[in-house]
Amino acid sequence: MQCDGCVLFLRQILEMEQTKKFKGVYWLIFLGSSALLGYMIYTHNPWLTLVLPFQTTSFVKALDIM
């Protein structure tokens, strides 16, 4: 017996492998936010933690984890 959910799941996996993803923008955002984070640490800026969401999210998106 073949379940419909399994067929739909396999079809989604195959479609995911075929899509082309542009990750260069996320790498640029990650590198820019890393440089900004380094600058914020160097200058002891109190707004340092506002850079972290941009850095971590862009890194995860660039590695295609999320």
Side-chain angles (χ1 to χ4, degrees), residues 2 9 14 19 22-23 25-26 34 36 38 40 42 45 47 54 58-60:
Q2 193 175 31
F9 180 71
L14 292 175
T19 59
F22 300 100
K23 298 183 280 186
V25 174
Y26 295 121
S34 295
L36 181 61
M40 299 282 257
Y42 179 74
N45 197 319
W47 298 94
F54 293 101
S58 61
F59 183 66
V60 168

Side-chain angles (χ1 to χ4, degrees), residues 5-61:
C6 297
V7 173
L8 291 175
F9 180 71
L10 290 175
R11 187 177 299 155
Q12 287 177 350
I13 289 175
L14 292 175
E15 288 175 4
M16 283 176 41
E17 291 177 350
Q18 294 174 357
T19 59
K20 184 173 182 177
K21 299 182 180 177
F22 300 100
K23 298 183 280 186
V25 174
Y26 295 121
W27 281 113
L28 288 175
I29 294 170
F30 170 71
L31 292 174
S33 60
S34 295
L36 181 61
L37 182 66
Y39 173 75
M40 299 282 257
I41 290 171
Y42 179 74
T43 60
H44 302 285
N45 197 319
W47 298 94
L48 171 94
T49 55
L50 292 179
V51 179
L52 292 175
F54 293 101
Q55 185 187 30
T56 54
T57 303
S58 61
F59 183 66
V60 168
K61 293 285 255 179

